[in-house]
Structure formats: structure tokens, C-alpha cells
């Protein structure tokens, strides 16, 4: 009974009046899906380490962009 919904609607710079950037959007989506897999499947906790994909909470896109992609 574990699930997550990850929406790219607010991850896209175009939604905020910026230029679309498919690579950045893909990286943001990959980070959020990876983080949710870490939490829901592997039982990992969020961390304050900005280099970790498990960094959180993530209040804004700048925080998401600064988070790494590795556990």
C-alpha cells in the first residue's frame, strides 16, 4: 500500500514564464522518482545533505536542482 504521485507540472520552467528546458525537467523528474523509490521501497529517510537525492524537504526548484542524484 505504498504509492507516490510525481507531477512535472510545477517542475517545468515554462510553467513559471521561463524557457522550456527538457534536460533540466528530465533531471528533476528523475530525482523525485528516485527519492520516492528510496522512501517508499527502500525505507530511507530524508537527509540534510544537499548532495544526496534524499535531500529534503524540497520547498523550491532551486533546492531540487542543487540536490544530487546519488544516495
Amino acid at each position: 500500500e505504498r504509492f507516490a504521485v510525481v507531477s512535472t507540472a510545477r517542475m517545468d520552467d515554462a510553467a513559471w514564464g521561463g524557457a522550456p528546458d527538457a534536460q533540466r525537467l528530465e533531471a528533476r523528474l528523475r530525482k523525485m522518482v528516485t527519492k520516492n523509490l528510496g522512501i517508499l521501497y527502500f525505507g530511507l529517510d530524508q537527509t540534510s545533505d544537499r548532495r544526496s537525492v534524499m535531500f529534503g524537504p524540497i520547498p523550491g526548484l532551486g533546492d531540487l536542482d542543487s540536490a544530487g542524484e546519488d544516495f
Side-chain angles (χ1 to χ4, degrees), residues 6-19:
V6 179
S7 172
T8 60
R10 296 189 313 163
M11 289 185 207
D12 190 351
D13 290 327
W16 305 101

Side-chain angles (χ1 to χ4, degrees), residues 22-41:
Q23 289 180 333
R24 181 178 293 172
L25 180 59
E26 183 180 317
R28 289 171 175 169
L29 176 60
R30 187 172 49 246
K31 289 178 188 182
M32 290 306 298
V33 169
T34 302
K35 179 178 179 175
N36 278 284
L37 284 171
I39 292 170
L40 297 174
Y41 185 77

Side-chain angles (χ1 to χ4, degrees), residues 33-61:
V33 169
T34 302
K35 179 178 179 175
N36 278 284
L37 284 171
I39 292 170
L40 297 174
Y41 185 77
F42 294 105
L44 301 176
D45 292 325
Q46 294 186 85
T47 179
S48 61
D49 181 0
R50 290 188 174 273
R51 296 170 297 179
S52 172
V53 74
M54 298 305 296
F55 171 71
I58 297 178
L61 292 178

